[in-house]
Amino acid sequence: FATIGTRKDYLILTLKVDSDVRSPRVVKHEKTASGLWQLDVKLLNAKEVDHELQQWMRASYLLAK
């Protein structure tokens, strides 16, 4: 339901969701061939894992079930 890419100073969290999310936190979003949306979120520190991000992760997890 999610992948993590490592960079020198941050992480990229990639989620698949059923609708586009317009947020300044999403650094890349694209519609996939299956009609889902792939979102890339740049995470600089643990404090960025807040309620909003947890909701996106939960939606991605439920979609993958």
Side-chain angles (χ1 to χ4, degrees):
F1 78 95
T3 59
I4 303 262
T6 57
R7 304 295 187 269
K8 183 177 179 182
D9 297 323
Y10 58 92
L11 300 174
I12 294 289
L13 173 66
T14 302
L15 301 169
K16 291 196 177 169
V17 294
D18 60 358
S19 61
D20 191 15
V21 173
R22 295 290 178 170
S23 169
R25 301 175 71 179
V26 177
V27 294
K28 180 180 174 186
H29 47 107
E30 62 185 352
K31 195 165 191 174
T32 65
S34 64
L36 299 176
W37 286 87
Q38 182 171 307
L39 309 176
D40 288 353
V41 181
K42 183 177 178 179
L43 299 172
L44 296 168
N45 60 58
K47 292 178 185 176
E48 293 181 338
V49 182
D50 60 4
H51 182 71
E52 179 181 46
L53 183 61
Q54 290 173 17
Q55 286 181 315
W56 298 343
M57 292 172 66
R58 187 175 299 111
S60 183
Y61 174 76
L62 292 173
L63 190 62
K65 280 180 114 179

